[in-house]
Amino acid sequence: MKPSPSHSPSPAPAVSASSGDSFIQLRGVEKAFGTQRVLRGLDLDIYRGETLVLIGPSGEGKSVLLKHIIGLLRPDAGSVCFDGTLLEDLDERQLRPVRRRIGYLFQNAALFDSLSVADNVAFPLREARVKNEDEIQQRVQEALEIVELGEHAAKMPINLSGGMRKRVGIARAIVDQPEILLYDEPTAGLDPIVTDVIDHMIRRMKKRFGITSVVITHDMGSVFKVADRIAMLMKGVIYFEGTPKELRSSRDPLLRNFITGRSEMTMRSGWGDRAPAHDNPIHPD
Amino acid sequence: MAMKRGPLQLLGRSFLDLVGYLGSLGMLLSEMLGALFRGRPRVLLMFEQIVRIGYGSQTVVVVTGAFTGAVFTAQTYFKFKDFGIESTIGGIVSVALCRELSPVLAGLMVTGRVGAAMAAEIGTMKVSEQIDALRAMGVHPVDYLVMPRFIAMMVSMPLLIAESIVFGLAASWLVSVVGFGIPHAWFWGHVVEHTNLEDVAFGMIKGFFFGIIIVLISCHQGLETTDGAVGVGLGTTRAVVYASLTLLIVNYFLTLLLTQFFPMGTGT
């Protein structure tokens, strides 16, 4: 069951061990860095097998939200539940089994400088104690072929362009066939052709392996190509949640401007001046 | 407008900062001890670090040991000659090298060479999200980054100090026997008479503890790095300064403590 667009906030219910087909549940998540409140009681469900695209103005906390899902950051308040497991109950070592089920593409790829491309991609497999070196090499090659970097296995990350580094990051995220992939701006800085390759790959991962994906992107073309559902983060809460069709047909001026990339209205009113969803109901057609 | 703080407030703030810092070091140390039992052993990484820390520090330690031995011998000779006791130089230099000069100077040199590299490397990994990438793949950064360095340092540091003592003594022999014409038998006789294995153990045990200090402080600075390139620079500087000062302070208390177990004797 897919939710309809959220128009009003509901009180944050306690997270149960399992509720429907919701794979990941965030309830009342709050996070501040010093005096800067980034997440302000955010609620979000991510459903098994879907591709959820997170959009929103820069600096609104989309990456912070992604890091909460994998337990790299812990909420100041609220809860994050991954497939029935409350992450805040787990310490760094106990989080290992959860993290092994997740692939994460970092915004800047975060490749290990000291390892070659092949060793970077093989890293999750070696950590998973795959002993057979032939199997490791085969799976590494397959992952690199998916991102069209098959001939660059021996290179060091320092010798790759930004786009290639990002694609190696994707190969590393998918090589161990995780159940969920978190992409932090997978197509930022890439040319349109490679962007299309990555978009197709995200769709293919869903079709072939039924992988759940959460994608942060500012590229609206990519949004409509890959999304089953879209959530817009603003002022620390989910401002909009719905299907691509619902987003396209929304008459909300902020959403319209965001989709079309127009600045007049947003410049005049300022993103920060708009109240979150519960004060400004959106009525998609 | 920032409020002016009085001297007492500044003192209090500094004290609280120190307590916080020591607490944070203690947490890392306890994580390291836990990793000894719960973490996955990474033998290959450990050998890589032994090569980088132990083998890579040879030149620095050998040169430091040799020239310390040489200059200490020369200075002692100039003064002792006035009293006609220059033949005893061997014994004095060898005990000083074993108990103080080699452990402290080798420790400081390794802090500058290895501690700075550890803080800079781990700090760069921190600010470029490589440590988050490790965590995202279920790898504990202490297991992967700190423990191989810790074990490698435990193995390397005592051996480096022993090497420094040997080269310091060799340089002392050259200066005394070849340079100042002290008979070899006198020089060596005093070395054997005034030095025993406990003196060597004294220095190597110090090296073991200095190794812990260098790894703990340097890795801690690396793991706590923030603010990009500036933060890496600051963290590296702090690692060297904090580790060097701590090493000198701990050296004093270790000397008092270890002397209880290995009293200064008259040799064999």
Side-chain angles (χ1 to χ4, degrees), chain A residues 67 72 92-93 96 99 106 108 110-113 123-124 126-127 129, chain B residues 31 38 40 42 129-130 132-139 143-144:
Chain A
K67 287 182 178 177
L72 290 177
E92 190 73 13
R93 290 186 194 281
R96 182 182 159 86
R99 288 173 174 166
F106 284 83
N108 63 0
L111 301 182
F112 301 126
D113 300 332
F123 193 90
R126 296 200 167 113
E127 285 304 316
R129 305 206 183 201
Chain B
E31 195 67 62
R38 294 199 294 164
R40 173 179 160 188
R42 294 171 187 276
E129 288 189 309
Q130 291 178 55
D132 274 349
L134 278 177
R135 295 173 62 210
M137 287 185 270
V139 179
D143 291 359
Y144 190 81

PDB file of all heavy atoms in Angstrom, chain A residues 67 72 92-93 96 99 106 108 110-113 123-124 126-127 129, chain B residues 31 38 40 42 129-130 132-139 143-144:
ATOM      1  N   LYS A  67      21.576   9.684   6.568  1.00  0.00           N
ATOM      2  CA  LYS A  67      22.525   9.130   7.541  1.00  0.00           C
ATOM      3  C   LYS A  67      21.815   8.584   8.782  1.00  0.00           C
ATOM      4  O   LYS A  67      22.361   7.723   9.468  1.00  0.00           O
ATOM      5  CB  LYS A  67      23.560  10.193   7.937  1.00  0.00           C
ATOM      6  CG  LYS A  67      24.559  10.438   6.811  1.00  0.00           C
ATOM      7  CD  LYS A  67      25.620  11.444   7.156  1.00  0.00           C
ATOM      8  CE  LYS A  67      26.584  11.577   5.980  1.00  0.00           C
ATOM      9  NZ  LYS A  67      27.620  12.576   6.177  1.00  0.00           N
ATOM     10  N   LEU A  72      24.348   6.281  10.876  1.00  0.00           N
ATOM     11  CA  LEU A  72      25.586   7.071  10.980  1.00  0.00           C
ATOM     12  C   LEU A  72      25.360   8.279  11.878  1.00  0.00           C
ATOM     13  O   LEU A  72      26.294   8.797  12.484  1.00  0.00           O
ATOM     14  CB  LEU A  72      26.050   7.538   9.592  1.00  0.00           C
ATOM     15  CG  LEU A  72      26.580   6.458   8.654  1.00  0.00           C
ATOM     16  CD1 LEU A  72      26.931   7.047   7.292  1.00  0.00           C
ATOM     17  CD2 LEU A  72      27.812   5.766   9.240  1.00  0.00           C
ATOM     18  N   GLU A  92      27.530   0.707  17.988  1.00  0.00           N
ATOM     19  CA  GLU A  92      28.216   0.670  16.691  1.00  0.00           C
ATOM     20  C   GLU A  92      28.430  -0.766  16.184  1.00  0.00           C
ATOM     21  O   GLU A  92      28.242  -1.044  15.013  1.00  0.00           O
ATOM     22  CB  GLU A  92      29.555   1.407  16.841  1.00  0.00           C
ATOM     23  CG  GLU A  92      30.288   1.669  15.556  1.00  0.00           C
ATOM     24  CD  GLU A  92      29.676   2.769  14.679  1.00  0.00           C
ATOM     25  OE1 GLU A  92      28.810   3.521  15.162  1.00  0.00           O
ATOM     26  OE2 GLU A  92      30.051   2.839  13.502  1.00  0.00           O
ATOM     27  N   ARG A  93      28.807  -1.661  17.081  1.00  0.00           N
ATOM     28  CA  ARG A  93      29.063  -3.042  16.641  1.00  0.00           C
ATOM     29  C   ARG A  93      27.762  -3.782  16.340  1.00  0.00           C
ATOM     30  O   ARG A  93      27.695  -4.590  15.428  1.00  0.00           O
ATOM     31  CB  ARG A  93      29.858  -3.805  17.700  1.00  0.00           C
ATOM     32  CG  ARG A  93      31.291  -3.327  17.814  1.00  0.00           C
ATOM     33  CD  ARG A  93      32.125  -4.173  18.760  1.00  0.00           C
ATOM     34  NE  ARG A  93      33.361  -3.481  19.062  1.00  0.00           N
ATOM     35  CZ  ARG A  93      34.409  -3.438  18.253  1.00  0.00           C
ATOM     36  NH1 ARG A  93      34.380  -4.066  17.095  1.00  0.00           N
ATOM     37  NH2 ARG A  93      35.493  -2.762  18.587  1.00  0.00           N
ATOM     38  N   ARG A  96      26.167  -3.466  12.827  1.00  0.00           N
ATOM     39  CA  ARG A  96      26.818  -4.113  11.677  1.00  0.00           C
ATOM     40  C   ARG A  96      25.850  -4.941  10.811  1.00  0.00           C
ATOM     41  O   ARG A  96      25.811  -4.759   9.590  1.00  0.00           O
ATOM     42  CB  ARG A  96      27.987  -4.976  12.183  1.00  0.00           C
ATOM     43  CG  ARG A  96      28.787  -5.662  11.111  1.00  0.00           C
ATOM     44  CD  ARG A  96      29.873  -6.529  11.750  1.00  0.00           C
ATOM     45  NE  ARG A  96      30.329  -7.539  10.832  1.00  0.00           N
ATOM     46  CZ  ARG A  96      31.286  -7.371   9.926  1.00  0.00           C
ATOM     47  NH1 ARG A  96      31.882  -6.209   9.824  1.00  0.00           N
ATOM     48  NH2 ARG A  96      31.640  -8.326   9.120  1.00  0.00           N
ATOM     49  N   ARG A  99      23.662  -2.622   8.787  1.00  0.00           N
ATOM     50  CA  ARG A  99      24.380  -1.885   7.734  1.00  0.00           C
ATOM     51  C   ARG A  99      24.788  -2.784   6.577  1.00  0.00           C
ATOM     52  O   ARG A  99      24.906  -2.325   5.449  1.00  0.00           O
ATOM     53  CB  ARG A  99      25.614  -1.211   8.347  1.00  0.00           C
ATOM     54  CG  ARG A  99      25.237  -0.031   9.223  1.00  0.00           C
ATOM     55  CD  ARG A  99      26.424   0.527   9.942  1.00  0.00           C
ATOM     56  NE  ARG A  99      26.076   1.747  10.659  1.00  0.00           N
ATOM     57  CZ  ARG A  99      26.836   2.304  11.579  1.00  0.00           C
ATOM     58  NH1 ARG A  99      27.985   1.760  11.909  1.00  0.00           N
ATOM     59  NH2 ARG A  99      26.455   3.421  12.181  1.00  0.00           N
ATOM     60  N   PHE A 106      27.871   7.799  -1.098  1.00  0.00           N
ATOM     61  CA  PHE A 106      28.093   9.120  -0.493  1.00  0.00           C
ATOM     62  C   PHE A 106      28.118  10.199  -1.572  1.00  0.00           C
ATOM     63  O   PHE A 106      28.428   9.924  -2.737  1.00  0.00           O
ATOM     64  CB  PHE A 106      29.412   9.130   0.286  1.00  0.00           C
ATOM     65  CG  PHE A 106      29.317   8.407   1.599  1.00  0.00           C
ATOM     66  CD1 PHE A 106      29.447   7.029   1.654  1.00  0.00           C
ATOM     67  CD2 PHE A 106      29.077   9.091   2.772  1.00  0.00           C
ATOM     68  CE1 PHE A 106      29.340   6.351   2.847  1.00  0.00           C
ATOM     69  CE2 PHE A 106      28.969   8.423   3.973  1.00  0.00           C
ATOM     70  CZ  PHE A 106      29.097   7.049   4.017  1.00  0.00           C
ATOM     71  N   ASN A 108      30.187  12.518  -2.136  1.00  0.00           N
ATOM     72  CA  ASN A 108      31.474  12.664  -2.847  1.00  0.00           C
ATOM     73  C   ASN A 108      32.122  11.295  -3.076  1.00  0.00           C
ATOM     74  O   ASN A 108      33.325  11.206  -3.254  1.00  0.00           O
ATOM     75  CB  ASN A 108      32.405  13.595  -2.074  1.00  0.00           C
ATOM     76  CG  ASN A 108      32.757  13.023  -0.724  1.00  0.00           C
ATOM     77  OD1 ASN A 108      32.290  11.925  -0.377  1.00  0.00           O
ATOM     78  ND2 ASN A 108      33.563  13.708   0.064  1.00  0.00           N
ATOM     79  N   ALA A 110      33.341   9.040  -1.426  1.00  0.00           N
ATOM     80  CA  ALA A 110      34.088   8.550  -0.249  1.00  0.00           C
ATOM     81  C   ALA A 110      34.847   7.263  -0.543  1.00  0.00           C
ATOM     82  O   ALA A 110      34.818   6.306   0.241  1.00  0.00           O
ATOM     83  CB  ALA A 110      33.145   8.365   0.956  1.00  0.00           C
ATOM     84  N   LEU A 111      35.544   7.233  -1.676  1.00  0.00           N
ATOM     85  CA  LEU A 111      36.374   6.062  -1.993  1.00  0.00           C
ATOM     86  C   LEU A 111      37.611   6.068  -1.111  1.00  0.00           C
ATOM     87  O   LEU A 111      38.082   7.135  -0.703  1.00  0.00           O
ATOM     88  CB  LEU A 111      36.791   6.102  -3.470  1.00  0.00           C
ATOM     89  CG  LEU A 111      35.670   6.125  -4.497  1.00  0.00           C
ATOM     90  CD1 LEU A 111      36.244   6.126  -5.909  1.00  0.00           C
ATOM     91  CD2 LEU A 111      34.728   4.938  -4.324  1.00  0.00           C
ATOM     92  N   PHE A 112      38.167   4.893  -0.855  1.00  0.00           N
ATOM     93  CA  PHE A 112      39.391   4.811  -0.051  1.00  0.00           C
ATOM     94  C   PHE A 112      40.586   5.131  -0.945  1.00  0.00           C
ATOM     95  O   PHE A 112      40.864   4.424  -1.920  1.00  0.00           O
ATOM     96  CB  PHE A 112      39.529   3.416   0.567  1.00  0.00           C
ATOM     97  CG  PHE A 112      38.355   3.050   1.440  1.00  0.00           C
ATOM     98  CD1 PHE A 112      37.654   1.883   1.223  1.00  0.00           C
ATOM     99  CD2 PHE A 112      37.950   3.893   2.462  1.00  0.00           C
ATOM    100  CE1 PHE A 112      36.559   1.549   2.019  1.00  0.00           C
ATOM    101  CE2 PHE A 112      36.861   3.574   3.263  1.00  0.00           C
ATOM    102  CZ  PHE A 112      36.162   2.405   3.033  1.00  0.00           C
ATOM    103  N   ASP A 113      41.292   6.206  -0.590  1.00  0.00           N
ATOM    104  CA  ASP A 113      42.409   6.688  -1.418  1.00  0.00           C
ATOM    105  C   ASP A 113      43.485   5.638  -1.619  1.00  0.00           C
ATOM    106  O   ASP A 113      44.164   5.612  -2.639  1.00  0.00           O
ATOM    107  CB  ASP A 113      43.103   7.886  -0.731  1.00  0.00           C
ATOM    108  CG  ASP A 113      42.148   9.025  -0.518  1.00  0.00           C
ATOM    109  OD1 ASP A 113      41.206   9.135  -1.312  1.00  0.00           O
ATOM    110  OD2 ASP A 113      42.347   9.799   0.446  1.00  0.00           O
ATOM    111  N   PHE A 123      35.861  -4.287  -1.434  1.00  0.00           N
ATOM    112  CA  PHE A 123      35.927  -4.103   0.019  1.00  0.00           C
ATOM    113  C   PHE A 123      34.728  -4.718   0.768  1.00  0.00           C
ATOM    114  O   PHE A 123      34.926  -5.479   1.729  1.00  0.00           O
ATOM    115  CB  PHE A 123      36.068  -2.608   0.335  1.00  0.00           C
ATOM    116  CG  PHE A 123      36.450  -2.318   1.753  1.00  0.00           C
ATOM    117  CD1 PHE A 123      37.792  -2.230   2.130  1.00  0.00           C
ATOM    118  CD2 PHE A 123      35.489  -2.143   2.731  1.00  0.00           C
ATOM    119  CE1 PHE A 123      38.143  -1.979   3.440  1.00  0.00           C
ATOM    120  CE2 PHE A 123      35.833  -1.889   4.038  1.00  0.00           C
ATOM    121  CZ  PHE A 123      37.158  -1.803   4.397  1.00  0.00           C
ATOM    122  N   PRO A 124      33.483  -4.411   0.349  1.00  0.00           N
ATOM    123  CA  PRO A 124      32.348  -5.009   1.098  1.00  0.00           C
ATOM    124  C   PRO A 124      32.341  -6.530   1.043  1.00  0.00           C
ATOM    125  O   PRO A 124      31.922  -7.181   2.002  1.00  0.00           O
ATOM    126  CB  PRO A 124      31.113  -4.438   0.382  1.00  0.00           C
ATOM    127  CG  PRO A 124      31.597  -3.265  -0.385  1.00  0.00           C
ATOM    128  CD  PRO A 124      33.028  -3.534  -0.736  1.00  0.00           C
ATOM    129  N   ARG A 126      35.033  -8.530   0.807  1.00  0.00           N
ATOM    130  CA  ARG A 126      36.084  -9.050   1.705  1.00  0.00           C
ATOM    131  C   ARG A 126      35.649  -8.890   3.153  1.00  0.00           C
ATOM    132  O   ARG A 126      35.945  -9.751   3.992  1.00  0.00           O
ATOM    133  CB  ARG A 126      37.401  -8.332   1.432  1.00  0.00           C
ATOM    134  CG  ARG A 126      37.914  -8.602   0.026  1.00  0.00           C
ATOM    135  CD  ARG A 126      39.398  -8.338  -0.150  1.00  0.00           C
ATOM    136  NE  ARG A 126      39.850  -8.900  -1.411  1.00  0.00           N
ATOM    137  CZ  ARG A 126      40.268  -8.188  -2.455  1.00  0.00           C
ATOM    138  NH1 ARG A 126      40.334  -6.874  -2.380  1.00  0.00           N
ATOM    139  NH2 ARG A 126      40.644  -8.786  -3.571  1.00  0.00           N
ATOM    140  N   GLU A 127      34.951  -7.798   3.456  1.00  0.00           N
ATOM    141  CA  GLU A 127      34.451  -7.610   4.820  1.00  0.00           C
ATOM    142  C   GLU A 127      33.376  -8.640   5.151  1.00  0.00           C
ATOM    143  O   GLU A 127      33.194  -8.994   6.308  1.00  0.00           O
ATOM    144  CB  GLU A 127      33.915  -6.192   5.011  1.00  0.00           C
ATOM    145  CG  GLU A 127      35.004  -5.140   5.136  1.00  0.00           C
ATOM    146  CD  GLU A 127      35.979  -5.455   6.267  1.00  0.00           C
ATOM    147  OE1 GLU A 127      35.539  -5.834   7.360  1.00  0.00           O
ATOM    148  OE2 GLU A 127      37.205  -5.353   6.035  1.00  0.00           O
ATOM    149  N   ARG A 129      33.576 -11.528   4.270  1.00  0.00           N
ATOM    150  CA  ARG A 129      34.362 -12.763   4.344  1.00  0.00           C
ATOM    151  C   ARG A 129      34.061 -13.712   3.189  1.00  0.00           C
ATOM    152  O   ARG A 129      33.953 -14.930   3.396  1.00  0.00           O
ATOM    153  CB  ARG A 129      34.159 -13.460   5.684  1.00  0.00           C
ATOM    154  CG  ARG A 129      34.484 -12.525   6.839  1.00  0.00           C
ATOM    155  CD  ARG A 129      34.883 -13.288   8.042  1.00  0.00           C
ATOM    156  NE  ARG A 129      35.132 -12.369   9.156  1.00  0.00           N
ATOM    157  CZ  ARG A 129      35.850 -12.670  10.203  1.00  0.00           C
ATOM    158  NH1 ARG A 129      36.400 -13.836  10.300  1.00  0.00           N
ATOM    159  NH2 ARG A 129      36.033 -11.796  11.169  1.00  0.00           N
TER     160      ARG A 129
ATOM    161  N   GLU B  31      37.583   1.396  23.995  1.00  0.00           N
ATOM    162  CA  GLU B  31      37.143   0.820  22.713  1.00  0.00           C
ATOM    163  C   GLU B  31      38.256  -0.057  22.125  1.00  0.00           C
ATOM    164  O   GLU B  31      38.005  -1.135  21.570  1.00  0.00           O
ATOM    165  CB  GLU B  31      36.800   1.958  21.754  1.00  0.00           C
ATOM    166  CG  GLU B  31      36.008   1.561  20.530  1.00  0.00           C
ATOM    167  CD  GLU B  31      34.603   1.101  20.846  1.00  0.00           C
ATOM    168  OE1 GLU B  31      33.811   1.893  21.381  1.00  0.00           O
ATOM    169  OE2 GLU B  31      34.321  -0.075  20.573  1.00  0.00           O
ATOM    170  N   ARG B  38      36.853  -8.308  20.856  1.00  0.00           N
ATOM    171  CA  ARG B  38      35.639  -8.411  20.046  1.00  0.00           C
ATOM    172  C   ARG B  38      35.875  -8.126  18.568  1.00  0.00           C
ATOM    173  O   ARG B  38      35.077  -8.495  17.720  1.00  0.00           O
ATOM    174  CB  ARG B  38      34.572  -7.443  20.579  1.00  0.00           C
ATOM    175  CG  ARG B  38      34.068  -7.809  21.959  1.00  0.00           C
ATOM    176  CD  ARG B  38      32.745  -7.143  22.226  1.00  0.00           C
ATOM    177  NE  ARG B  38      32.860  -5.684  22.297  1.00  0.00           N
ATOM    178  CZ  ARG B  38      31.832  -4.856  22.213  1.00  0.00           C
ATOM    179  NH1 ARG B  38      30.620  -5.328  22.030  1.00  0.00           N
ATOM    180  NH2 ARG B  38      31.999  -3.558  22.305  1.00  0.00           N
ATOM    181  N   ARG B  40      37.686  -7.937  14.729  1.00  0.00           N
ATOM    182  CA  ARG B  40      38.244  -8.935  13.820  1.00  0.00           C
ATOM    183  C   ARG B  40      39.736  -8.656  13.647  1.00  0.00           C
ATOM    184  O   ARG B  40      40.122  -7.526  13.337  1.00  0.00           O
ATOM    185  CB  ARG B  40      37.513  -8.798  12.487  1.00  0.00           C
ATOM    186  CG  ARG B  40      38.062  -9.634  11.384  1.00  0.00           C
ATOM    187  CD  ARG B  40      37.214  -9.414  10.134  1.00  0.00           C
ATOM    188  NE  ARG B  40      37.933  -9.816   8.951  1.00  0.00           N
ATOM    189  CZ  ARG B  40      37.509  -9.593   7.725  1.00  0.00           C
ATOM    190  NH1 ARG B  40      36.371  -8.960   7.527  1.00  0.00           N
ATOM    191  NH2 ARG B  40      38.211  -9.992   6.694  1.00  0.00           N
ATOM    192  N   ARG B  42      43.182  -8.146  12.013  1.00  0.00           N
ATOM    193  CA  ARG B  42      43.538  -7.786  10.638  1.00  0.00           C
ATOM    194  C   ARG B  42      45.056  -7.874  10.512  1.00  0.00           C
ATOM    195  O   ARG B  42      45.757  -6.869  10.653  1.00  0.00           O
ATOM    196  CB  ARG B  42      43.006  -6.381  10.324  1.00  0.00           C
ATOM    197  CG  ARG B  42      41.494  -6.341  10.325  1.00  0.00           C
ATOM    198  CD  ARG B  42      40.939  -4.957  10.243  1.00  0.00           C
ATOM    199  NE  ARG B  42      39.501  -4.996  10.408  1.00  0.00           N
ATOM    200  CZ  ARG B  42      38.637  -5.241   9.423  1.00  0.00           C
ATOM    201  NH1 ARG B  42      39.082  -5.460   8.204  1.00  0.00           N
ATOM    202  NH2 ARG B  42      37.349  -5.271   9.655  1.00  0.00           N
ATOM    203  N   GLU B 129      34.828  11.730   4.515  1.00  0.00           N
ATOM    204  CA  GLU B 129      33.734  10.761   4.750  1.00  0.00           C
ATOM    205  C   GLU B 129      34.163   9.303   4.537  1.00  0.00           C
ATOM    206  O   GLU B 129      33.325   8.419   4.466  1.00  0.00           O
ATOM    207  CB  GLU B 129      32.521  11.065   3.854  1.00  0.00           C
ATOM    208  CG  GLU B 129      31.758  12.313   4.284  1.00  0.00           C
ATOM    209  CD  GLU B 129      30.440  12.470   3.533  1.00  0.00           C
ATOM    210  OE1 GLU B 129      30.481  12.395   2.297  1.00  0.00           O
ATOM    211  OE2 GLU B 129      29.400  12.672   4.177  1.00  0.00           O
ATOM    212  N   GLN B 130      35.483   9.050   4.438  1.00  0.00           N
ATOM    213  CA  GLN B 130      35.918   7.653   4.261  1.00  0.00           C
ATOM    214  C   GLN B 130      35.663   6.839   5.525  1.00  0.00           C
ATOM    215  O   GLN B 130      35.413   5.637   5.453  1.00  0.00           O
ATOM    216  CB  GLN B 130      37.408   7.607   3.893  1.00  0.00           C
ATOM    217  CG  GLN B 130      37.702   8.153   2.502  1.00  0.00           C
ATOM    218  CD  GLN B 130      39.184   8.150   2.178  1.00  0.00           C
ATOM    219  OE1 GLN B 130      39.851   7.136   2.248  1.00  0.00           O
ATOM    220  NE2 GLN B 130      39.705   9.319   1.834  1.00  0.00           N
ATOM    221  N   ASP B 132      33.114   7.408   7.561  1.00  0.00           N
ATOM    222  CA  ASP B 132      31.677   7.121   7.497  1.00  0.00           C
ATOM    223  C   ASP B 132      31.408   5.979   6.516  1.00  0.00           C
ATOM    224  O   ASP B 132      30.514   5.161   6.739  1.00  0.00           O
ATOM    225  CB  ASP B 132      30.902   8.372   7.064  1.00  0.00           C
ATOM    226  CG  ASP B 132      30.574   9.274   8.246  1.00  0.00           C
ATOM    227  OD1 ASP B 132      30.748   8.841   9.401  1.00  0.00           O
ATOM    228  OD2 ASP B 132      30.149  10.422   8.015  1.00  0.00           O
ATOM    229  N   ALA B 133      32.194   5.949   5.426  1.00  0.00           N
ATOM    230  CA  ALA B 133      32.021   4.861   4.450  1.00  0.00           C
ATOM    231  C   ALA B 133      32.354   3.510   5.094  1.00  0.00           C
ATOM    232  O   ALA B 133      31.652   2.519   4.881  1.00  0.00           O
ATOM    233  CB  ALA B 133      32.899   5.093   3.229  1.00  0.00           C
ATOM    234  N   LEU B 134      33.422   3.490   5.899  1.00  0.00           N
ATOM    235  CA  LEU B 134      33.761   2.258   6.632  1.00  0.00           C
ATOM    236  C   LEU B 134      32.590   1.838   7.514  1.00  0.00           C
ATOM    237  O   LEU B 134      32.163   0.673   7.497  1.00  0.00           O
ATOM    238  CB  LEU B 134      34.979   2.495   7.535  1.00  0.00           C
ATOM    239  CG  LEU B 134      36.377   2.429   6.948  1.00  0.00           C
ATOM    240  CD1 LEU B 134      37.392   2.783   8.030  1.00  0.00           C
ATOM    241  CD2 LEU B 134      36.672   1.037   6.411  1.00  0.00           C
ATOM    242  N   ARG B 135      32.089   2.804   8.285  1.00  0.00           N
ATOM    243  CA  ARG B 135      30.984   2.503   9.207  1.00  0.00           C
ATOM    244  C   ARG B 135      29.752   2.030   8.431  1.00  0.00           C
ATOM    245  O   ARG B 135      29.064   1.104   8.859  1.00  0.00           O
ATOM    246  CB  ARG B 135      30.635   3.736  10.040  1.00  0.00           C
ATOM    247  CG  ARG B 135      31.759   4.165  10.989  1.00  0.00           C
ATOM    248  CD  ARG B 135      31.428   5.490  11.656  1.00  0.00           C
ATOM    249  NE  ARG B 135      30.245   5.403  12.473  1.00  0.00           N
ATOM    250  CZ  ARG B 135      29.416   6.425  12.703  1.00  0.00           C
ATOM    251  NH1 ARG B 135      29.674   7.606  12.184  1.00  0.00           N
ATOM    252  NH2 ARG B 135      28.360   6.272  13.459  1.00  0.00           N
ATOM    253  N   ALA B 136      29.488   2.692   7.292  1.00  0.00           N
ATOM    254  CA  ALA B 136      28.309   2.317   6.494  1.00  0.00           C
ATOM    255  C   ALA B 136      28.412   0.881   5.991  1.00  0.00           C
ATOM    256  O   ALA B 136      27.403   0.245   5.723  1.00  0.00           O
ATOM    257  CB  ALA B 136      28.143   3.284   5.326  1.00  0.00           C
ATOM    258  N   MET B 137      29.652   0.381   5.858  1.00  0.00           N
ATOM    259  CA  MET B 137      29.823  -1.007   5.408  1.00  0.00           C
ATOM    260  C   MET B 137      29.973  -1.973   6.590  1.00  0.00           C
ATOM    261  O   MET B 137      30.396  -3.116   6.420  1.00  0.00           O
ATOM    262  CB  MET B 137      31.040  -1.093   4.487  1.00  0.00           C
ATOM    263  CG  MET B 137      30.758  -0.464   3.121  1.00  0.00           C
ATOM    264  SD  MET B 137      32.103  -0.653   1.955  1.00  0.00           S
ATOM    265  CE  MET B 137      33.061   0.785   2.266  1.00  0.00           C
ATOM    266  N   GLY B 138      29.656  -1.481   7.772  1.00  0.00           N
ATOM    267  CA  GLY B 138      29.684  -2.356   8.954  1.00  0.00           C
ATOM    268  C   GLY B 138      31.067  -2.594   9.514  1.00  0.00           C
ATOM    269  O   GLY B 138      31.286  -3.576  10.231  1.00  0.00           O
ATOM    270  N   VAL B 139      32.022  -1.725   9.168  1.00  0.00           N
ATOM    271  CA  VAL B 139      33.392  -1.899   9.666  1.00  0.00           C
ATOM    272  C   VAL B 139      33.644  -0.861  10.761  1.00  0.00           C
ATOM    273  O   VAL B 139      33.483   0.335  10.537  1.00  0.00           O
ATOM    274  CB  VAL B 139      34.416  -1.710   8.525  1.00  0.00           C
ATOM    275  CG1 VAL B 139      35.835  -1.862   9.049  1.00  0.00           C
ATOM    276  CG2 VAL B 139      34.141  -2.694   7.409  1.00  0.00           C
ATOM    277  N   ASP B 143      38.584  -0.930  14.834  1.00  0.00           N
ATOM    278  CA  ASP B 143      39.121  -2.233  14.399  1.00  0.00           C
ATOM    279  C   ASP B 143      40.037  -2.062  13.191  1.00  0.00           C
ATOM    280  O   ASP B 143      41.098  -2.682  13.113  1.00  0.00           O
ATOM    281  CB  ASP B 143      37.984  -3.183  13.985  1.00  0.00           C
ATOM    282  CG  ASP B 143      37.144  -3.622  15.160  1.00  0.00           C
ATOM    283  OD1 ASP B 143      37.463  -3.208  16.290  1.00  0.00           O
ATOM    284  OD2 ASP B 143      36.164  -4.350  14.937  1.00  0.00           O
ATOM    285  N   TYR B 144      39.582  -1.255  12.249  1.00  0.00           N
ATOM    286  CA  TYR B 144      40.261  -1.190  10.956  1.00  0.00           C
ATOM    287  C   TYR B 144      41.439  -0.218  10.951  1.00  0.00           C
ATOM    288  O   TYR B 144      42.464  -0.492  10.336  1.00  0.00           O
ATOM    289  CB  TYR B 144      39.245  -0.768   9.883  1.00  0.00           C
ATOM    290  CG  TYR B 144      39.770  -0.906   8.467  1.00  0.00           C
ATOM    291  CD1 TYR B 144      39.760  -2.141   7.819  1.00  0.00           C
ATOM    292  CD2 TYR B 144      40.266   0.195   7.774  1.00  0.00           C
ATOM    293  CE1 TYR B 144      40.239  -2.274   6.528  1.00  0.00           C
ATOM    294  CE2 TYR B 144      40.750   0.071   6.481  1.00  0.00           C
ATOM    295  CZ  TYR B 144      40.728  -1.168   5.862  1.00  0.00           C
ATOM    296  OH  TYR B 144      41.210  -1.295   4.576  1.00  0.00           O
TER     297      TYR B 144
END
